[in-house]
Each structure stands twice: as C-alpha cells, then as structure tokens.
C-alpha cells in the first residue's frame, strides 16, 4: 500500500513537471505503459497466492485509476494554459489601439461652410443646392446675361464638351441656384446656397480654379436695399464678431439692379472686398416666372475660401487644397 502511495506521488510530480502534451504522454507511458511497474504488477498477479489475488487486483485497479486521473487533470490544465497563451497573443484591444491614433476633424472649408449655414439658418434662411455642371440658361441667360453680353467673358468659364458649343459648363458661380430655386418655389423665398464653383484661373496665392461660394436670395413683398444692408451687417457680425463692420459700394452685375460690392473692416481700419450683391433684376424674376410688379428681392454671393483665408490670416489660399496634414492639423 505504501508503495502505491509513493507511486502516486511520483506520478503527480512527473505530471506537473511535464510542460507540453508530448512530455506528458511520455511521462504517462512511464507510469501506465507496457513497461511500467503497474503493468508489471498486473502481469504478476498470477504469482500471488490465490486468496490474495482478488483484493490485490482490486487495489491495483484503484491505483491505476488514480494515476490515470493525475495525467488527465494535467492534460486539461496544459490545454488551458495553451489556450490562454493563444488568447493573449491574439488579443486585439480596439480601445487600446484607438487611443494611440490621432483623431481627424473636418476640413477648414467644411467647417466654414457649416458655420455659414448655421448663421444663416439662425436668421431664418433655408439651405439650397444645385448641380456643379450647368447649362448656359442657368449659369448665364436666366441671370440676364445673354450670349452677346460682355459680362460673359468676365466669368472665365470652363466649358464641357456636351451639346452645342459653350452650352454646358462647370458653373462659374453659385448664382444659378437662384434660378433653380425660383423656378421650383413660390415666394416668399429665403435661401442660401453654398457650393463648389470653377473658373479657368491658374492657382496662385489668391486664386483657385475650383473654389467655393455661398449665394443668398430673398424674395418677398416690399424688400428694399435697406433689408440687404441689414442682412449683410447682421451676418458679418454673427460670423466675425461685433467689432467687424460692413459697407456697400456701388458696382455692376447683370442680375442685380442696383448692384453693389460689400466690404468688411479689417482690424487696421482698411476694407476687404468680400462679395457682390444687389436687388434682383426684374428680368431675372420674369425669367423665373415671378411677377416683378408683385415681388422684390435681393441677392448676394461671396467666396468661402477667401473668407477663410481672411479669418485665419493665410498668406496663400493654396494651403487649403494641397492637403498638407501639418497645416490642416492646426485648425
Ligand atoms: N455671382 C457673382 C460672382 O461670382 C457674385 C454675385 C454678385 C452674386 C451679385 C450675387 C449678386 O448674388 O447679387 O462674381
């Protein structure tokens, strides 16, 4: 009996020492295999006196079972260790990875566009959109710029080879959205339309061939130039702060009469030209099916990229499109 207890202890030690399934099965063979002392003992049962054989056989079976359990338990714990190791190696803690990543943000132009929309929505406007590829009707004719009109040349238009020559183009301003809005909706109309615009300009410190404008259009009864000036002033103060002033200067656009350019004050007291505006020309209203005797309105349009360049004091407007992450990260 004490021999068996010793055997069991040895089996436990051998099992614990085994660090892999291979080591464990060779240790198991030492204790339970053909050449093990337990197998020998079984073979030798026949040499015992007959009266002892039954109890010795029973005892032998019991110890054999205990030794088998020792190896089974160790096999299970080795398997668990292997799984744990594999889980640890394959673990993918997403939160850990994200912490080390830098979070992106919206591009400066998108931020400005969102901010402009918010300011105008706060003043009661809704946001409209139009296509970037336009026909001559929307980009020019409906806006009171017939094909003989010298102002067409001022727009440096990029034409698209579709239909008649100079019939289809990348829109050179957001003003065509005025026409699309008036064609679709009855007055009163209070909309702003931000979007991309295109001209043949080469890129330099103050120009981009693909740039962004925002258009404004108000059509209602009894609208005057005073409403236009007040709207521009409220917008400028909401966007730039109450210390910034705005002013209108007489100008010319075919789609407005009278027309003006509007400037905003710089901290040093000088003025920066921001955009054009005016009272919507009666021809434009008629072209869009609105009776100019009944309805009046004003419109304005200005460049978003310029506005951003001014607000963040960029020396070169091309910074906005070269996508140098070191530049973009600052905003
Ligand atoms: N569309 C003009 C441009 O791109 C800007 C402009 C001037 C828009 C007067 C207007 C306006 O709505 O009334 O040069």
């Amino acid at each position: 009996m004490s021999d068996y207890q010793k055997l069991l202890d040895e089996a436990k030690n051998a099992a614990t020492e085994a660090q892999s399934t291979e080591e464990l099965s060779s240790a198991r063979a030492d204790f339970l295999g053909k050449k093990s002392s337990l197998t020998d003992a079984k073979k030798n049962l026949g040499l015992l006196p007959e009266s002892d054989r039954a109890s010795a056989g029973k005892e032998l079976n019991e110890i054999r079972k205990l030794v088998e359990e020792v190896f089974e338990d160790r096999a299970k714990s080795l398997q668990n260790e292997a799984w744990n190791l594999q889980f640890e190696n394959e673990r993918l803690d997403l939160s850990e990875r994200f912490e080390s990543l830098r979070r992106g943000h919206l591009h400066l132009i998108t931020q400005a566009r969102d901010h402009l929309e918010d300011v105008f929505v706060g003043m009661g406007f809704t946001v409209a959109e139009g296509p970037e590829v336009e026909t001559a009707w929307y980009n020019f004719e409906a806006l009171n710029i017939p094909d003989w009109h010298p102002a067409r040349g001022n727009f440096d238009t990029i034409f698209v080879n579709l239909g008649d020559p100079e019939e289809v183009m990348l829109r050179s301003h957001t003003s065509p959205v005025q026409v699309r809005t008036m064609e679709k909706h009855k007055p009163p109309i209070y909309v702003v339309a931000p979007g991309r615009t295109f001209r043949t300009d080469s890129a330099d410190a103050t120009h981009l061939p693909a740039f962004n404008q925002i258009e404004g259009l108000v059509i209602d009864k009894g609208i005057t130039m005073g409403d236009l000036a007040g709207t521009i002033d409220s917008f400028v103060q909401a966007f730039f702060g109450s210390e910034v002033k705005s002013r209108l200067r007489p100008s010319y656009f075919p789609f407005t009469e009278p027309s003006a350019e509007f400037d905003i004050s710089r901290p040093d007291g000088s003025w920066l030209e921001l955009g054009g505006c005016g009272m919507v020309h009666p021809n434009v209203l008629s072209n869009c099916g609105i009776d100019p005797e009944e309805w009046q309105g004003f419109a304005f349009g200005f460049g978003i990229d310029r506005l951003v360049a001014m607000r963040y004091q960029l020396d070169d407007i091309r910074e906005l499109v070269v996508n140098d992450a070191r530049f973009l990260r600052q905003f």
Side-chain angles (χ1 to χ4, degrees), residues 157-283:
T157 309
I158 299 173
F159 292 99
V160 174
N161 266 340
L162 273 176
D164 292 339
E166 310 209 337
E167 207 14 70
V168 182
M169 62 209 72
L170 300 184
R171 66 178 176 195
S172 48
H173 50 174
T174 43
S175 302
V177 188
Q178 289 188 33
V179 180
R180 290 185 175 274
T181 306
M182 288 188 277
E183 277 180 353
K184 244 195 287 162
H185 301 284
K186 299 240 155 309
I189 292 170
Y190 290 79
V191 294
V192 285
R196 296 211 299 164
T197 45
F198 309 85
R199 291 190 196 178
T200 55
D201 293 330
S202 336
D204 64 24
T206 53
H207 294 87
L208 293 172
F211 55 108
N212 296 271
Q213 287 191 337
I214 184 165
E215 193 80 13
L217 176 70
V218 167
I219 308 287
D220 208 334
K221 289 195 166 146
I223 298 289
T224 69
M225 201 76 182
D227 298 310
L228 168 60
T231 303
I232 298 227
D233 211 46
S234 314
F235 151 70
V236 165
Q237 300 210 348
F239 192 79
F240 289 98
S242 55
E243 62 290 350
V244 179
K245 310 253 169 305
S246 72
R247 73 171 185 190
L248 300 185
R249 263 180 307 112
S251 185
Y252 172 77
F253 297 100
F255 29 91
T256 43
E257 182 59 36
S259 300
E261 265 161 300
F262 62 95
D263 304 334
I264 57 172
S265 64
R266 288 203 184 95
D268 67 2
S270 66
W271 294 93
L272 176 84
E273 184 191 320
L274 204 59
C277 60
M279 300 305 291
V280 178
H281 197 290
N283 290 353

Side-chain angles (χ1 to χ4, degrees), residues 118-131:
D118 286 350
V119 168
F120 281 111
V121 166
M123 290 164 72
F125 287 71
T126 54
V127 179
E129 277 189 344

